[in-house]
Amino acid sequence: MLNKQYDNVLDKVKTDLKNSKAVCLTSDGWTGLNGTNFLAATVHFVNDSTNLKSYLLECEEFTERHTSENIALWLKSVMDRFAILDKVCCVVTDNAPNMIKAIHLLEIQHVPCYAHTLNLVVKDAINDTIETTVTKVRKIVKYFKKSSTALYKLNEMQKNLNYKELKLIQDVSTRWNSIYFMLDRFRANKEPIVSALALLGAESKLIENDWTIMEQSCIILKVFDVLTKEISAEKNVTLSKVRVLDTLLFNRLDHMMLNNTFLPQIQKFLKELIAGLKLRFDYDNTNIMSRATVLDPRFKQKGFSNANLFKECCDNILIEMDAIELDSNNNEENISEPVVIASESSKDNIWEEFDLNVVHPQTILHARTSNQKEMDNYVAEPLAHRNDDPLEWWKLHKLEYPKIYQIMLRVLCIPATSVPCERIFSKAGDIETSKRNRLKPSKLGKMLFVKQNKTN
């Protein structure tokens, strides 16, 4: 039954990919319960109906050394298997050097996972500033995790002090924002923890300054958690948000720097975060993130702090438009009404500054060739609402801006993160449990393929 379902789903995936104009891949590695190494690849594209589609291509055992050359050969074999080698416009991976070099060996554009990069910035800043406090918390959490007596006493104190019986969270180096989750849960249970440690006669080493560091650092780290969740969506366009979110993040951190109540360690923590972000996020006008921002009707020029950079990016898109020859059949497609996503009200709104200014001056670029007119008219269109689906906007306007639409297909299909692969591995962990530890890697791969792709 599994083989039959696998073959049916495989045919469906191959048919959809055959009809695609351009695709993007994400790839990552994972180690299973028995120490088996796996590599996975997912594919993302905008289909003929201007809907974003995602499929798992492969999650299979990888027995070779994890060199860039071997990874490149594996990715090429996957692309050949699905006949998409000439359609792949980009590959998104984490910042591992072997993954980055593998994509360069394939001569395909590489986009680093935005969420993973944010996590690296945060970890580096913590190591240079508040690591002493984090280490103290980590040891205490480990103590409560390993001692049933200590855990019982903590639960007892939570009950007696009318706290919710919430477990402490241990940070995991490979799990994004886990230090924030650990610190936030720990400080929220300060009274029960202090009481339990005192009754147990356990050494704490925490001083009042550490609790203040936890409280103030969580204010900052919460912003990064909100940002990570915002950018990690799989069913929505995300790459075009990167430039905008970067600007909003820098502004938020700069505003926090003015807070005179922050301890010197937290002020230094903020400075390290800002320095790390500037080091890792530097987008020029040819960058794929910049092009995605222009091609998203929600942002366009509003995603650029410098009007000249926006114009230069538009000029680069114009060069691409000159090379496009349109199929006359494209003009006969039907247009469907867009689905509008309702406006949301968010408490921890990273978008607040962006939403305050919805009216802005329009930049008119050119008024000469047909391509320039197409670009000028597109830029002059009112911005779509930030909560709208940009692909729904393009469904309505693809006949008005046919060449820009063709470029959009190659850009807005790119996810900002490699989260799709991370989610595949989470599902793999749900399947390969201790009770099913003799499951063959090939069968696990087929089960994942069917589970992930059957309903897409």
Side-chain angles (χ1 to χ4, degrees), residues 9-257:
V9 176
L10 180 62
D11 289 341
K12 173 180 174 288
V13 171
K14 285 186 173 181
T15 300
D16 280 1
L17 288 173
K18 185 178 180 180
N19 296 327
S20 65
K21 298 289 192 300
V23 303
C24 170
L25 302 185
T26 74
S27 185
D28 203 356
W30 175 68
T31 302
L33 190 65
N34 294 320
T36 306
N37 290 320
F38 289 84
L39 276 183
T42 65
V43 64
H44 311 267
F45 59 97
V46 179
N47 66 10
D48 291 340
S49 301
T50 321
N51 293 319
L52 191 61
K53 300 288 289 184
S54 299
Y55 289 118
L56 168 63
L57 293 182
E58 193 65 78
C59 181
E60 66 179 354
E61 184 179 12
F62 191 72
T63 57
E64 304 292 332
R65 290 178 59 231
H66 284 215
T67 63
S68 52
E69 292 78 9
N70 288 337
I71 293 171
L73 287 172
W74 180 82
L75 281 170
K76 186 177 183 302
S77 69
V78 172
M79 290 186 279
D80 286 336
R81 203 177 309 155
F82 287 87
I84 56 172
L85 186 58
D86 60 337
K87 294 183 178 184
V88 177
C89 59
C90 179
V91 181
V92 182
T93 74
D94 60 20
N95 292 271
N98 59 340
M99 296 298 287
I100 295 173
K101 187 179 177 182
I103 309 309
H104 290 161
L105 288 174
L106 292 168
E107 297 183 346
I108 298 173
Q109 183 167 8
H110 175 262
V111 169
C113 172
Y114 184 76
H116 182 249
T117 307
L118 276 181
N119 188 54
L120 291 178
V121 171
V122 171
K123 286 175 71 174
D124 288 345
I126 287 174
N127 289 338
D128 293 339
T129 55
I130 60 171
E131 179 61 29
T132 302
T133 299
V134 172
T135 300
K136 291 178 184 178
V137 172
R138 189 180 289 128
K139 286 181 178 178
I140 294 172
V141 172
K142 189 175 181 180
Y143 169 65
F144 281 109
K145 290 282 185 183
K146 289 207 164 187
S147 170
S148 57
T149 303
L151 181 59
Y152 176 80
K153 184 59 69 176
L154 175 61
N155 291 339
E156 184 181 0
M157 288 298 101
Q158 287 173 326
K159 283 181 184 177
N160 293 342
L161 296 168
N162 295 320
Y163 279 72
K164 288 185 179 179
E165 289 185 55
L166 298 174
K167 293 181 180 179
L168 299 183
I169 298 173
Q170 185 80 63
D171 67 316
V172 180
S173 59
T174 57
R175 193 162 295 169
W176 301 331
N177 300 318
S178 64
I179 292 179
Y180 162 64
F181 299 141
M182 178 178 73
L183 295 179
D184 193 46
R185 178 65 59 83
F186 194 89
R187 70 173 187 82
N189 284 272
K190 177 181 177 180
E191 199 174 0
I193 290 171
V194 171
S195 301
L197 289 173
L199 291 171
L200 291 163
E203 188 179 12
S204 168
K205 291 188 178 180
L206 284 172
I207 59 177
E208 193 58 37
N209 196 55
D210 290 315
W211 291 101
T212 306
I213 287 174
M214 277 184 257
E215 181 180 355
Q216 293 181 353
S217 63
C218 282
I219 295 172
I220 300 166
L221 292 173
K222 186 172 186 177
V223 177
F224 284 83
D225 180 47
V226 171
L227 199 62
T228 302
K229 289 173 181 174
E230 172 75 28
I231 208 68
S232 297
E234 188 174 346
K235 296 183 179 179
N236 300 317
V237 172
T238 54
L239 189 70
S240 55
K241 296 179 180 180
V242 169
R243 275 194 73 109
V244 182
L245 289 172
D246 272 355
T247 301
L248 298 175
L249 178 59
F250 275 118
N251 292 346
R252 183 69 64 89
L253 295 179
D254 285 339
H255 180 72
M256 287 181 176
M257 284 292 294

Side-chain angles (χ1 to χ4, degrees), residues 301-345:
Q301 60 270 57
K302 198 175 177 185
F304 292 77
S305 57
N306 187 308
N308 289 330
L309 286 178
F310 172 70
K311 183 180 180 300
E312 289 173 17
C313 190
C314 290
D315 287 341
N316 286 316
I317 293 175
L318 277 168
I319 295 172
E320 290 186 66
M321 292 170 68
D322 290 337
I324 294 176
E325 293 184 10
L326 294 174
D327 184 350
S328 58
N329 293 329
N330 286 343
N331 296 324
E332 299 175 2
E333 297 181 20
N334 294 323
I335 301 176
S336 58
E337 288 297 318
V339 177
V340 179
I341 301 175
S343 176
E344 62 183 53
S345 172

Side-chain angles (χ1 to χ4, degrees), residues 269-398:
F269 181 43
L270 277 168
K271 289 178 182 177
E272 291 293 329
L273 286 171
I274 293 171
L277 290 169
K278 287 180 178 178
L279 179 66
R280 291 184 179 271
F281 297 117
D282 182 22
Y283 309 124
D284 59 30
N285 54 24
T286 61
N287 187 278
I288 191 72
M289 280 84 164
S290 300
R291 290 163 61 217
T293 305
V294 173
L295 295 168
D296 191 320
R298 300 172 298 176
F299 305 132
K300 293 189 284 189
Q301 60 270 57
K302 198 175 177 185
F304 292 77
S305 57
N306 187 308
N308 289 330
L309 286 178
F310 172 70
K311 183 180 180 300
E312 289 173 17
C313 190
C314 290
D315 287 341
N316 286 316
I317 293 175
L318 277 168
I319 295 172
E320 290 186 66
M321 292 170 68
D322 290 337
I324 294 176
E325 293 184 10
L326 294 174
D327 184 350
S328 58
N329 293 329
N330 286 343
N331 296 324
E332 299 175 2
E333 297 181 20
N334 294 323
I335 301 176
S336 58
E337 288 297 318
V339 177
V340 179
I341 301 175
S343 176
E344 62 183 53
S345 172
S346 41
K347 299 173 185 174
D348 310 308
N349 199 349
I350 191 72
W351 291 99
E352 182 179 1
E353 181 185 342
F354 182 90
D355 291 337
L356 285 175
N357 179 24
V358 293
V359 179
H360 54 87
Q362 300 290 344
T363 303
I364 302 301
L365 303 170
H366 303 281
R368 295 190 297 275
T369 68
S370 60
N371 286 344
Q372 290 166 343
K373 288 179 181 177
E374 182 177 330
M375 176 60 76
D376 290 344
N377 291 338
Y378 168 69
V379 170
E381 287 272 3
L383 290 182
H385 190 276
R386 194 253 303 170
N387 288 322
D388 290 348
D389 183 350
L391 296 182
E392 293 294 337
W393 188 95
W394 275 110
K395 282 183 186 180
L396 272 183
H397 296 86
K398 60 183 176 182

